[in-house]
Amino acid sequence: MAKESKDYSKYFDFSGAKLISEDQNGKTIRLNGRDIHILSEPDYRQEKQRGKESIQVHYENAVPDKLRNLGLGKKYLIYTYGCQMNEHDTEVMRGLFEAMGYIAAVDRQDADVILFNTCAVRENAEDKVFGELGHMKVLKQQRPDLILGVCGCMSQEASVVNRIMQKHAHVDMIFGTHNIHRLPHLLQDAHFGKEMVVEVWSKEGDIIENLPKKRTEGLRAWVNIMYGCDKFCTYCIVPYTRGKERSRLPEDVIAEVRDLARQGFKEITLLGQNVNAYGKDFADRNYRFGDLMDDIRKIDIPRVRFTTSHPRDFDDHLIEVLAKGGNLVEHIHLPVQSGSTEILKRMSRKYSRELFLDLVRRIRIAIPNAVLSTDIIVGFPGETDEQFEETLSLVREANFTMAFTFIYSPREGTPAAVMEDNVPYEVKQKRLHRLNELIAELSLAHHQELIGQVVEVLVEGESKNNANVLSGRTRSNKLIHFEGNKEWIGQLVNVRVMEAKTWYIKAEVVGAQVPASNAV
């Protein structure tokens, strides 16, 4: 039985809304007993456009002096869903909150402002958010002064915004991914007004530098190097929710990484929807992702990662730079999505099975100890049993030892959403189970090959299940458990692999003078 698709059309009926006022600053409507001030709203057609207008870079302070005491005596809480980009956006919003005098709340009962930073990639992520918004209605009734907001990728979807306006009148503010820097002003409006405030920019904004960031640990950090995506894979909502590709200037990225190194961070991850496209939009210089990685390689920070990359833009220069090693780790996340050329074509991935495997071959020649992970979708519209078998064979040939695997989920507004979803849900579930079994088999085999080797571990903390056991990650992002001194948390330690499990490795500490291998 196929999973029933949602009817989004009902969220566009505003026959019951009354226009209160309209001017150059937007419009105010009354809907279901509440006034809603719409400064700007999402527009699917605008989100799809890719204009040639240049992106400006701004360095001014995001929190004006008059708003620096807005949050004194108040607490904030942010719930984050989705990818590392959303996590990084939350770090920025934490920074903005604390620059206004707010402090973080531990419990929702103590919070004066609660934000849901949302993900639109999968339908179940949206379902979770709407479920939480339902629970929030009681809390809002108990504490009418609580400010409740929805932001992030879901807010860039017109159907979502309209659903919130129709069904969740207790929400106070809605904003998207392009105007996070406007949070102080939106909070001011929400504090002093009784209206729901909606400000979602459908066209991507400029690049705002100097935004404060509140990172929750001093060990690992995310660094945004670019925004947006121009690939328009048929299943993906991201090009609409995050806008066109636009790169931060290399001098700004490098300055941020150097500052993190001075602060003592041990690992950074460079972020972008498609980091391999970095620099393609520069009109005044020939500087691409490989050049950026080569420059960051020279900064005194132990580990540098990146995510996520598109195989089509993974060029030989980048492979050459990564092969230099040093602080550039051997783990490469390379989303393939399917092992069938025909399905890849329907997905508009713009590479074939053969081209992908050739890229894997070139990476392994240059970086023999490379460890690859990937993303895979099963049950894409029209996927046959034979095409799924091609995915399994590609996974084995590429020797992926970790994968994020998903059952296809249609996203409203994408080309794939109107394709005939003719793979029964039960078949999708069985395919996912077989795929996960294969990934588990390859993961265990890789871990078994490491037994006896000495590897470097960045110690992250105590094991969740045993306070006497420490846990951390290798350069290739493998989870390691070993007994050790709690003073080692936050440090790089050499351990010898003793026992292989499917998803983690057991090890024991060796003398600090033993050099760590880069094999894992």
Side-chain angles (χ1 to χ4, degrees):
M1 179 180 174
K3 195 172 181 181
E4 185 179 347
S5 60
K6 288 187 176 180
D7 176 17
Y8 288 85
S9 60
K10 59 185 176 183
Y11 302 131
F12 289 86
D13 179 14
F14 288 102
S15 55
K18 179 182 179 182
L19 181 65
I20 304 298
S21 63
E22 186 170 13
D23 56 26
Q24 69 274 14
N25 295 317
K27 61 184 177 183
T28 300
I29 64 172
R30 178 163 294 164
L31 182 66
N32 297 330
R34 185 169 195 192
D35 289 353
I36 303 174
H37 188 201
I38 303 175
L39 298 167
S40 55
E41 56 191 316
D43 184 299
Y44 171 78
R45 288 184 296 274
Q46 286 189 29
E47 289 175 343
K48 189 175 181 179
Q49 294 172 3
R50 291 295 184 268
K52 294 187 180 298
E53 65 275 9
S54 60
I55 298 295
Q56 302 298 314
V57 182
H58 302 273
Y59 296 92
E60 63 266 20
N61 202 318
V63 182
D65 290 341
K66 65 179 181 178
L67 297 181
R68 287 200 168 269
N69 295 322
L70 180 66
L72 287 179
K74 297 185 176 70
K75 296 181 179 181
Y76 72 92
L77 184 62
I78 307 175
Y79 292 100
T80 308
Y81 302 80
C83 68
Q84 293 97 330
M85 191 73 76
N86 290 41
E87 294 281 358
H88 184 60
D89 287 346
T90 289
E91 290 180 341
V92 172
M93 288 188 285
R94 286 195 199 108
L96 290 169
F97 270 116
E98 301 201 4
M100 290 182 284
Y102 290 87
I103 60 174
V106 177
D107 186 88
R108 62 177 61 179
Q109 298 290 338
D110 300 326
D112 299 283
V113 182
I114 299 176
L115 291 185
F116 290 88
N117 185 11
T118 62
C119 171
V121 172
R122 313 231 75 77
E123 186 177 5
N124 63 348
E126 290 192 5
D127 291 341
K128 288 179 183 177
V129 171
F130 281 119
E132 284 294 321
L133 288 180
H135 299 319
M136 286 289 158
K137 188 172 184 178
V138 175
L139 188 61
K140 182 74 171 179
Q141 289 170 342
Q142 295 170 348
R143 300 173 51 214
D145 291 336
L146 169 68
I147 293 176
L148 182 61
V150 179
C151 58
C153 292
M154 276 176 60
S155 301
Q156 294 291 150
E157 298 181 82
S159 58
V160 168
V161 172
N162 288 325
R163 178 175 175 179
I164 294 172
M165 291 163 59
Q166 291 269 20
K167 305 293 185 182
H168 300 277
H170 54 289
V171 171
D172 298 290
M173 52 194 289
I174 306 172
F175 59 100
T177 61
H178 305 317
N179 60 332
I180 288 173
H181 63 286
R182 288 270 302 152
L183 175 61
H185 303 279
L186 296 174
L187 279 171
Q188 182 185 39
D189 291 345
H191 269 301
F192 298 111
K194 298 300 181 184
E195 306 165 325
M196 178 191 296
V197 179
V198 179
E199 184 178 83
V200 181
W201 295 358
S202 295
K203 293 295 288 180
E204 59 279 340
D206 293 339
I207 292 175
I208 314 296
E209 294 289 348
N210 294 343
L211 290 174
K213 300 177 184 71
K214 169 72 173 188
R215 294 182 165 100
T216 56
E217 59 172 272
L219 187 62
R220 298 169 301 179
W222 291 305
V223 176
N224 223 141
I225 67 168
M226 64 180 302
Y227 306 90
C229 182
D230 290 347
K231 284 295 179 283
F232 285 98
C233 301
T234 57
Y235 55 82
C236 187
I237 196 71
V238 168
Y240 308 96
T241 62
R242 289 286 178 174
K244 76 175 183 180
E245 291 174 350
R246 53 216 191 274
S247 306
R248 290 179 66 195
L249 296 176
E251 51 265 37
D252 292 328
V253 175
I254 291 168
E256 183 173 352
V257 174
R258 284 179 175 151
D259 186 54
L260 292 169
R262 282 192 290 268
Q263 293 178 46
F265 281 84
K266 298 292 193 298
E267 178 178 301
I268 63 161
T269 301
L270 306 179
L271 289 183
Q273 257 70 45
N274 175 16
V275 291
N276 298 347
Y278 177 83
K280 288 174 67 176
D281 54 319
F282 290 148
D284 61 340
R285 67 188 82 190
N286 182 20
Y287 189 95
R288 296 293 304 277
F289 186 47
D291 300 305
L292 181 67
M293 292 294 279
D294 209 15
D295 284 339
I296 290 177
R297 185 178 62 84
K298 301 163 189 170
I299 298 174
D300 187 17
I301 199 161
R303 292 182 178 180
V304 178
R305 304 184 185 279
F306 62 91
T307 193
T308 190
S309 60
H310 194 292
R312 187 185 174 202
D313 292 326
F314 208 114
D315 58 34
D316 287 335
H317 179 230
L318 177 58
I319 295 174
E320 178 186 330
V321 172
L322 295 178
K324 295 178 181 179
N327 60 359
L328 307 183
V329 301
E330 297 74 39
H331 173 230
I332 298 173
H333 188 67
L334 199 60
V336 65
Q337 307 300 359
S338 173
S340 163
T341 295
E342 182 57 36
I343 294 297
L344 289 170
K345 186 176 180 181
R346 287 170 63 83
M347 290 178 168
S348 193
R349 291 290 288 173
K350 298 182 174 64
Y351 56 81
S352 65
R353 170 192 178 93
E354 291 73 26
L355 286 174
F356 183 88
L357 287 173
D358 181 65
L359 172 60
V360 170
R361 179 188 60 81
R362 286 183 281 123
I363 289 173
R364 294 206 182 280
I365 289 173
I367 314 169
N369 55 350
V371 175
L372 304 183
S373 58
T374 194
D375 297 341
I376 298 173
I377 297 171
V378 302
F380 190 77
E383 183 187 66
T384 65
D385 288 340
E386 292 76 16
Q387 289 165 340
F388 173 67
E389 293 294 336
E390 289 185 86
T391 294
L392 293 181
S393 66
L394 181 139
V395 167
R396 195 175 290 279
E397 189 169 344
N399 194 23
F400 292 120
T401 59
M402 203 277 283
F404 296 102
T405 58
F406 309 93
I407 289 176
Y408 169 70
S409 174
R411 309 309 299 132
E412 182 74 10
T414 62
V418 298
M419 296 179 185
E420 183 184 0
D421 191 2
N422 55 1
V423 182
Y425 192 67
E426 292 79 4
V427 173
K428 295 177 182 178
Q429 288 178 309
K430 289 177 181 177
R431 289 177 183 174
L432 183 68
H433 179 69
R434 287 187 61 199
L435 175 60
N436 287 340
E437 280 188 329
L438 175 57
I439 296 294
E441 173 193 324
L442 295 174
S443 175
L444 179 59
H446 176 63
H447 291 170
Q448 287 170 337
E449 292 173 359
L450 299 171
I451 292 176
Q453 293 192 34
V454 174
V455 297
E456 178 192 86
V457 178
L458 179 56
V459 186
E460 298 174 359
E462 297 176 4
S463 168
K464 295 178 182 178
N465 301 320
N466 188 338
N468 296 319
V469 174
L470 299 178
S471 68
R473 296 273 174 178
T474 66
R475 288 171 59 93
S476 65
N477 212 31
K478 298 297 180 180
L479 180 62
I480 299 273
H481 290 320
F482 64 98
E483 292 186 6
N485 192 325
K486 291 179 176 57
E487 294 179 358
W488 293 339
I489 294 174
Q491 303 300 315
L492 293 163
V493 175
N494 295 306
V495 300
R496 179 174 284 107
V497 176
M498 302 302 293
E499 186 178 349
K501 300 292 185 180
T502 301
W503 302 120
Y504 67 95
I505 296 166
K506 289 186 176 181
E508 63 179 23
V509 175
V510 298
Q513 74 281 3
V514 179
S517 164
N518 287 339
V520 61

